Amino acid sequence: MSTKILGNSLAFKTFDYLGVNQAEIKWEEKERKPYYLPSDKRIKISEFEEVQYGVSKENTSVNELEGNLYRRFEAMEGKPIYEVLHLKQNEQYPELLDTYDVIARKNANLTLILDYGMEGMNEKYRNTVIRILAEENSEVHLFVIQNIDDSCHTFESIVSILGKNAKVTLCQFQLGAKELYTNFKGELKGENAELEVDSIYFGYGEHELNLLYDIVHYGEGSTSNVVINGALKDNSSKNFKSTLDFKEGSSFAVGSEEEYAILMSDRAKAISVPLLLAHEDNVEGNHAASAGKIDKELLFYIMSRGFSKEQAETLIIQSKFAHAVDKIREEELKEKVWDSVFQIVRGQSDVK
């Protein structure tokens, strides 16, 4: 049974007529097949119970009640974790409701790569919840890779809680989902906590992308840097919302939110809403957003050096995406990401 729910709601509402305060989502309520991977034993983690996060309550609740994959990664001091999960969906297993608890204890180091692959062209559904707890002096690196697939409805809810001197890096590679809703909540609780988000997206065909990033500074001297680079072609559309919120007590905190979209079609649509909220005087907040076509003079210059238009466009997009992609240490996965980007640029998915 299908119903309509509201999700990706702005923490601080703006004018309703702009249509950005929340997203109206078509939600399927039905019996779901079990997934084929084993799951860890689920445990309650009190820190996550105190935070509101996720695309919507329905998204996080369905994973708690009907989730078909749960994994917990807990790194201790002197025992780092480096884990790569390859998650395949196909006609036999079209739906994935996966939850990951990523815990880095004091002075620990943890890296997790989630590589989502698709097979076949039937309708598929992914509802992912990722919860990150980075304790004092710990470091967490999370990579989420969604490769080309023209039939997947994707919901991605991520929350990260950072303690004193903790560092968290998030890189998302959204390279194909018929419908994408991603929601990130970052809470910098401790002094000198450091959060970096360096992500890319590429919409094509009739794809609809709805992205929300909510960064909350509590700790004195905490730092956040959110950079999202994207490209849109064909009839695709993107709605990007981000909030930097400096709470009382976060003096000397510095935050930055930036989003840049390349429009490769006159039909592509891009909306960006960066917000800045401050409850503390001694803070520094910066935000920027832009959307536009590839610079004609730059395109002509590259083509004058013997490149085709397609090759020139590829080089320009590569230059925008490289900072995030280069963070992937696994060469095979890095190559897979670039292959997906090149396929989209070459027009494999063009709407006729």
Side-chain angles (χ1 to χ4, degrees):
M1 181 181 70
S2 296
T3 185
K4 292 286 183 69
I5 63 172
L6 297 179
N8 270 4
S9 299
L10 277 174
F12 188 82
K13 300 294 189 292
T14 184
F15 299 108
D16 284 335
Y17 74 85
L18 294 174
V20 297
N21 284 326
Q22 61 268 316
E24 192 174 83
I25 302 170
K26 182 181 177 182
W27 182 253
E28 297 288 340
E29 294 181 355
K30 59 182 178 180
E31 185 177 344
R32 306 187 186 279
K33 276 188 176 183
Y35 199 56
Y36 65 100
L37 289 180
S39 295
D40 293 337
K41 183 178 179 181
R42 185 187 292 266
I43 63 171
K44 277 196 172 184
I45 300 170
S46 60
E47 287 87 348
F48 297 134
E49 306 296 322
E50 303 167 2
V51 183
Q52 289 187 346
Y53 65 93
V55 173
S56 70
K57 289 183 179 179
E58 287 83 356
N59 286 97
T60 53
S61 296
V62 74
N63 275 28
E64 290 179 6
L65 299 172
E66 304 176 49
N68 49 30
L69 172 62
Y70 172 80
R71 294 292 308 273
R72 180 166 60 92
F73 302 92
E74 186 171 0
M76 311 298 289
E77 182 177 0
K79 296 182 179 179
I81 290 177
Y82 186 94
E83 188 84 23
V84 181
L85 290 185
H86 300 284
L87 299 142
K88 298 291 184 183
Q89 288 176 260
N90 51 37
E91 293 184 6
Q92 186 178 2
Y93 302 103
E95 296 187 312
L96 175 60
L97 286 73
D98 53 334
T99 300
Y100 308 93
D101 282 336
V102 180
I103 305 161
R105 298 301 183 188
K106 185 177 179 180
N107 300 320
N109 193 297
L110 193 156
T111 297
L112 175 63
I113 301 175
L114 302 175
D115 174 33
Y116 291 95
M118 309 292 172
E119 298 173 1
M121 293 302 292
N122 61 302
E123 291 288 313
K124 290 181 281 292
Y125 174 94
R126 172 166 75 86
N127 188 58
T128 298
V129 176
I130 304 171
R131 308 189 300 181
I132 302 169
L133 177 61
E135 294 187 350
E136 183 178 348
N137 293 320
S138 65
E139 192 167 331
V140 174
H141 299 269
L142 173 66
F143 298 84
V144 183
I145 303 170
Q146 165 78 62
N147 276 299
I148 286 179
D149 185 83
D150 220 11
S151 63
C152 189
H153 302 266
T154 299
F155 302 85
E156 210 169 78
S157 301
I158 306 175
V159 59
S160 181
I161 301 173
L162 290 78
K164 182 178 179 181
N165 295 317
K167 180 178 181 180
V168 171
T169 300
L170 167 66
C171 294
Q172 296 159 290
F173 306 90
Q174 307 290 3
L175 301 174
K178 182 176 183 180
E179 185 181 35
L180 167 69
Y181 295 90
T182 185
N183 183 295
F184 175 75
K185 178 71 169 286
E187 298 221 333
L188 291 84
K189 297 282 191 179
E191 295 178 11
N192 301 313
E194 184 178 344
L195 171 67
E196 179 182 11
V197 179
D198 192 358
S199 297
I200 64 173
Y201 65 83
F202 206 150
Y204 58 91
E206 304 287 337
H207 291 181
E208 298 179 9
L209 290 71
N210 196 288
L211 319 157
L212 187 147
Y213 294 83
D214 187 10
I215 313 301
V216 187
H217 286 260
Y218 293 95
E220 184 177 326
S222 53
T223 304
S224 67
N225 186 34
V226 177
V227 179
I228 313 295
N229 279 291
L232 299 169
K233 64 182 299 186
D234 307 327
N235 294 322
S236 62
S237 63
K238 175 269 307 179
N239 187 314
F240 171 84
K241 295 172 281 192
S242 63
T243 302
L244 268 179
D245 191 355
F246 295 94
K247 297 297 187 183
E248 187 175 348
S250 63
S251 56
F252 306 108
V254 178
S256 177
E257 51 186 356
E258 304 172 50
E259 192 258 343
Y260 305 101
I262 296 175
L263 304 181
M264 302 178 67
S265 163
D266 291 333
R267 297 162 291 168
K269 297 178 182 178
I271 297 174
S272 296
V273 185
L275 299 177
L276 180 60
L277 307 174
H279 307 269
E280 182 63 62
D281 293 330
N282 298 318
V283 297
E284 180 183 335
N286 305 284
H287 59 199
S290 69
K293 293 185 178 181
I294 292 175
D295 184 88
K296 289 183 179 180
E297 291 185 5
L298 176 60
L299 193 64
F300 175 78
Y301 175 81
I302 297 175
M303 291 175 65
S304 70
R305 296 299 185 268
F307 294 94
S308 68
K309 182 181 178 182
E310 178 186 286
Q311 290 172 327
E313 288 176 337
T314 301
L315 287 171
I316 292 169
I317 290 173
Q318 263 189 291
S319 69
K320 295 292 186 181
F321 288 180
H323 191 266
V325 177
D326 286 345
K327 286 184 168 68
I328 303 174
R329 286 168 50 187
E330 300 287 324
E331 289 300 322
E332 185 177 336
L333 285 176
K334 185 184 295 186
E335 186 176 336
K336 184 190 293 187
V337 168
W338 282 129
D339 284 346
S340 294
V341 171
F342 300 155
Q343 285 184 51
I344 299 171
V345 176
R346 283 197 295 265
Q348 175 176 305
S349 53
D350 275 352
V351 176
K352 304 298 182 184

